[in-house]
Amino acid sequence: MAISLVVATLLAVVVGQAFLANGQVRLSALQHELALEQSAHRQSELAVAQLETPSRIVAAASGELHMVRPPIVELPYVSLSVPLPTPNVTAAPAPVTTTTVPPATTTTSTTTATSTTTATSTP
């Protein structure tokens, strides 16, 4: 009985070591895959950084898109210590509003329908 207990214990240790080794192999493979993906990510970031450089954008705009630099226009000097005169502002004219009433309908019964049409306008 004692020998079978020792053998079972040793077998459990061997199975545990096999699971541990299998887990370490999987962990090593995942770490290698992570390193590859991090390297690809760094390469992508480098490519984006190179595409974002102003000199490349200017070269692409002038070469491929045939854009030209705008002429430099200098704004006039305005002193901040001297206030500008208040501009004269005229009020906008009031809008004219008209109301359209639909045409009156007639009925074919013995009594005739009457309709009252009113139109309002705002000056």
Side-chain angles (χ1 to χ4, degrees), residues 64-87:
E64 296 170 12
L65 301 175
H66 307 291
M67 292 182 170
V68 294
R69 288 184 179 264
I72 296 175
V73 176
E74 299 215 10
L75 298 176
Y77 175 76
V78 176
S79 173
L80 298 178
S81 61
V82 178
L84 294 175
T86 305

Side-chain angles (χ1 to χ4, degrees), residues 2 14-15 17-18 20-21 24-25 39-41 43 47 49 54 61 66 77-78 83 85 91 110 112 118-119 121 123:
V14 169
V15 168
Q17 289 290 331
L20 182 62
Q24 287 177 341
V25 168
S39 174
H41 180 68
Q43 292 295 325
H66 307 291
Y77 175 76
V78 176
T110 57
T112 58
T118 57
S121 71

Side-chain angles (χ1 to χ4, degrees), residues 22-39:
N22 189 21
Q24 287 177 341
V25 168
R26 286 184 52 217
L27 180 61
S28 176
L30 288 175
Q31 284 177 339
H32 178 69
E33 186 179 338
L34 177 64
L36 290 175
E37 293 299 325
Q38 285 176 338
S39 174

